[in-house]
């Protein structure tokens, strides 16, 4: 399940078409029940973040995603299907503004121009509705026809609204189980879950990060890994591999295997460290506690492994890797309790060591 900014989508479609890629209702479908991100959501998102006191900022992208999900749960969202009927659209907008206008007054923002918002939605509707359809039904028919279906998560699992580092999370569920509820297929339809994990740890925005490095090693990881946020371009925070977090995520997402990426970024480190637990006020933990205040006090417990001087960049077989790199990968598998299915050694798609094919019958 997602929320959709229709104006941004139209811009993306145009940009892709300029590159010679055809986008049609046959190649792109939008679920009819998708809630829309409206301009008022972005305005509210940014105003609340600016008004937040130090220590309470979430690190939002300011795109309006959180407020759009709030409207979804509050049953006042405008959904894609609503664009097809003017009376319904007006009723949905009016219901939303009953909530938003008082909020805006409290934040010192002027009231929403109702008529202008409705006009914006009516104008964008013809560009969105051709793509609208019953996605659940299309996927069900594809599955019955024996076709293979790939679901891709958009955010890190520790940003999950329930199992992430709350409140420094996104506004929806992003662990693997959401793939089923988000598209309308049962959980039994998913037969392989592949977790995408870097050979070190990163985070964008605010929130706890036990293994974060504030030294030359952290800078080195960020520089070599080109660690900047995909949406905002913000510099990512970097740290050593956190086996506790990954093991926890493998459990909450029911992972069958992981794709371990950016192994080449670790080339040249004399010593590597892996977090194997946390110290919390003298107690040893093997998982990250749920309370934000306790998370912030967790001190990582490290295990050190020898690094390697030889380059792993471009390696496409185990034979191409130095022994220390293989030991590092194997130790990661042991600590997280999940096998490495794919190992990536450069940004190039071909530079991958395939251990287990997720699509194999």
């Amino acid at each position: 399940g997602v929320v959709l900014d229709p104006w941004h989508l139209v811009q993306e479609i145009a940009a892709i078409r300029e590159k010679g890629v055809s986008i049609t209702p046959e190649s792109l479908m939008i679920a009819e029940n998708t809630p829309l991100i409206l301009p008022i959501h972005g305005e509210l998102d940014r105003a609340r973040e600016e008004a937040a006191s130090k220590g309470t900022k979430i690190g939002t992208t300011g795109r309006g995603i959180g407020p759009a999900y709030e409207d979804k749960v509050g049953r006042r969202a405008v959904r894609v299907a609503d664009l097809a009927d003017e009376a319904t659209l007006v009723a949905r907008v009016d219901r939303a503004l009953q909530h938003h206008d008082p909020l805006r007054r409290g934040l010192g923002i002027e009231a929403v121009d109702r008529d202008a918002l409705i006009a914006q939605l009516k104008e964008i509707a013809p560009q969105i509705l051709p793509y609208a359809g019953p996605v659940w039904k299309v996927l069900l028919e594809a599955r019955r026809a024996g076709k293979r279906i790939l679901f891709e998560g958009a955010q890190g699992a520790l940003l999950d609204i329930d199992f992430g580092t709350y409140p420094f999370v996104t506004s929806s569920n992003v662990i693997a189980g959401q793939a089923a509820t988000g598209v309308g297929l049962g959980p039994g339809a998913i037969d392989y879950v592949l977790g995408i994990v870097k050979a070190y740890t990163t985070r964008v925005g605010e929130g706890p990060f036990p293994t974060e490095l504030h030294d030359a090693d952290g800078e080195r990881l960020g520089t070599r890994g080109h660690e900047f946020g995909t949406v905002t371009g913000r510099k990512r925070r970097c740290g050593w591999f956190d086996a506790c977090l990954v093991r926890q995520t493998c459990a909450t997402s029911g992972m069958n295997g992981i794709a371990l990426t950016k192994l080449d970024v670790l080339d040249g480190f004399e010593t590597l460290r892996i977090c194997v637990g946390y110290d919390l006020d003298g107690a040893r933990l093997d998982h990250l506690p749920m309370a934000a205040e306790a998370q912030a006090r967790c001190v990582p417990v490290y295990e050190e492994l020898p690094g390697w001087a030889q380059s792993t960049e471009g390696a496409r077989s185990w034979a191409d890797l130095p022994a220390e790199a293989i030991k590092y990968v194997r130790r990661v598998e042991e600590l997280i309790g999940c096998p490495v299915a794919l190992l990536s050694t450069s940004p190039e798609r071909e530079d991958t060591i395939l251990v287990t094919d997720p699509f194999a019958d």
Side-chain angles (χ1 to χ4, degrees), residues 213 215-224 235 238:
L213 296 171
D215 56 12
D217 286 340
E219 285 294 321
R220 182 175 175 181
L221 290 171
T223 301
R224 294 197 61 186
K235 185 178 180 180
C238 298

Side-chain angles (χ1 to χ4, degrees), residues 32 113 215 222 230 298 343:
E32 299 164 311
D113 187 331
D215 56 12
T230 304
C298 282
L343 184 63

Side-chain angles (χ1 to χ4, degrees), residues 160-222:
D160 186 87
I161 187 70
D162 291 316
F163 292 96
T165 52
Y166 190 93
F168 305 99
V169 293
T170 191
S171 302
S172 60
N173 290 111
V174 295
I175 56 176
Q178 178 63 16
T181 56
V183 301
L185 286 179
I190 300 172
D191 52 21
Y192 193 96
V193 179
L194 180 69
I196 314 300
V197 189
K198 293 173 187 171
Y200 51 97
T201 306
T202 63
R203 175 166 200 151
V204 175
E206 307 293 330
F209 186 172
T211 66
E212 183 174 12
L213 296 171
H214 300 281
D215 56 12
D217 286 340
E219 285 294 321
R220 182 175 175 181
L221 290 171

Side-chain angles (χ1 to χ4, degrees), residues 192 194 258-259 315-318 340-344 349-360:
Y192 193 96
L194 180 69
I258 67 166
R316 299 183 183 182
S317 72
W318 291 108
V340 170
L342 292 90
L343 184 63
S344 173
R349 183 176 298 181
E350 296 78 13
D351 295 336
T352 301
I353 300 173
L354 180 63
V355 181
T356 303
D357 183 355
F359 284 110

Side-chain angles (χ1 to χ4, degrees), residues 32 36 77-94 118 121-126 129 132:
E32 299 164 311
L36 299 180
V78 177
R79 305 202 296 180
V80 168
D82 300 330
L83 296 174
D85 182 76
E86 183 175 348
T88 300
L89 178 62
V90 170
R92 294 284 187 271
V93 169
D94 285 342
I118 291 172
L121 288 165
K122 288 168 67 175
E123 181 183 18
I124 200 71
L129 288 172

Side-chain angles (χ1 to χ4, degrees), residues 134-147 149 151 183-186 189:
V135 167
W136 67 270
K137 185 173 183 292
V138 172
L139 290 177
L140 176 64
E141 291 169 355
R143 185 164 181 259
R144 285 176 173 171
K147 295 184 178 180
I149 301 171
F151 299 114
V183 301
L185 286 179

Side-chain angles (χ1 to χ4, degrees), residues 27-67:
S27 60
L28 173 66
M29 180 175 286
I30 304 170
E32 299 164 311
N33 56 341
T34 304
L36 299 180
I37 302 175
L38 307 179
I40 59 175
H41 293 134
E43 292 165 2
L44 179 60
D45 207 1
R46 293 185 292 273
R48 287 199 297 208
E49 189 76 347
E50 289 169 8
S53 59
K54 186 178 180 181
T56 63
K57 291 183 183 292
I58 302 299
T60 173
T61 62
R63 300 293 181 90
I65 296 169

